[in-house]
Amino acid sequence: MPRHPVRRPAARRASAPPRVLPATWLPDLTTARFAYSGLQLDLLFYLLSTLEEGATTRPVELWLGSFSAAAGKKHNYNYVTAAATALVAQPLTIRGKQEQYRPLRLFDRVRSVPGQGLLQIKLARTGIPYLLELRDVIPAASLRALLQLSSKHTKRIYALCCRYKAKGRTPTFTMPDFKQILGLLDEQGHEKQRGFTSFRKHVLEAAIEQINATTDLRIDCHLEKHGRAVFYLAFTVKSQALPVLPPAAGADAQLLS
């Protein structure tokens, strides 16, 4: 498979201090720090498609058949239940004022109805405004393409680029901040994927290739050096026609077409 090019980092004086993040980096879920699994991200994005403005005080219903059809794969009810239940206690921090991060709860509880293949998910009041905003960022027509992206990092990058599509470019992130957003760097600075070459090939280039081939966005990555190391990252974002995907299995796929 040909490697997707990432623009070569521009030279930067070693004495130049790292930039602070611009004010356009908004405190929303696309830049929140959390480490959801791929299945948990699919649950989050699928729930957004069922979320209604005036129906946030009662539990959101997730039917396994509809979820499986949207994702284009058959899901095991017990695995989905375990993943959804873990979301209740899953740590999530969101950027607030003065670059500080604060905890945010999205889910209060999950109730399973196994005989019907149903999950009833109660949303946390504090998280509802952020969920509604993210729902408005990602077009409903693009949901199937998002759910079928193969990597959890690619899903996060796609959602981030959707957030800044109207501007044509994401904010410039420092590499440590961007890796923390993707869950590849913890608060103590420990990396889960060592080496920039591996990060560029398996995260950045893989995400760019798949997003450009299967979604309504065409993105490119711009890297910039501080001294000898790549320290800054930003994406340019353009709209494109949504590629025609093969039909998902199951009649419920029509709900998202």
Side-chain angles (χ1 to χ4, degrees), residues 47-80:
L47 283 174
L48 296 179
S49 71
T50 67
L51 192 59
E52 299 178 2
E53 198 82 33
T56 53
T57 56
R58 63 177 181 267
V60 178
E61 293 187 339
L62 185 146
W63 295 90
L64 182 66
S66 297
F67 175 57
S68 294
K73 65 184 76 171
K74 187 175 180 179
H75 284 293
N76 178 278
Y77 182 78
N78 291 332
Y79 287 160
V80 172

Side-chain angles (χ1 to χ4, degrees), residues 109-151:
R109 63 180 180 272
V110 175
R111 177 177 176 267
S112 64
V113 189
Q116 302 179 33
L118 171 66
L119 292 178
Q120 295 178 327
I121 302 173
K122 183 69 170 62
L123 304 177
R125 288 185 178 273
T126 54
I128 288 174
Y130 295 95
L131 290 168
L132 288 173
E133 182 186 29
L134 184 59
R135 180 203 62 181
D136 294 339
V137 163
I138 301 174
S142 305
L143 180 65
R144 266 195 63 215
L146 187 155
L147 291 176
Q148 295 184 40
L149 292 173
S150 59
S151 162

Side-chain angles (χ1 to χ4, degrees), residues 96-115:
K97 296 180 179 179
Q98 299 177 343
E99 307 299 333
Q100 295 179 345
Y101 277 78
R102 59 183 178 82
L104 176 69
R105 291 186 63 195
L106 295 181
F107 308 101
D108 269 342
R109 63 180 180 272
V110 175
R111 177 177 176 267
S112 64
V113 189

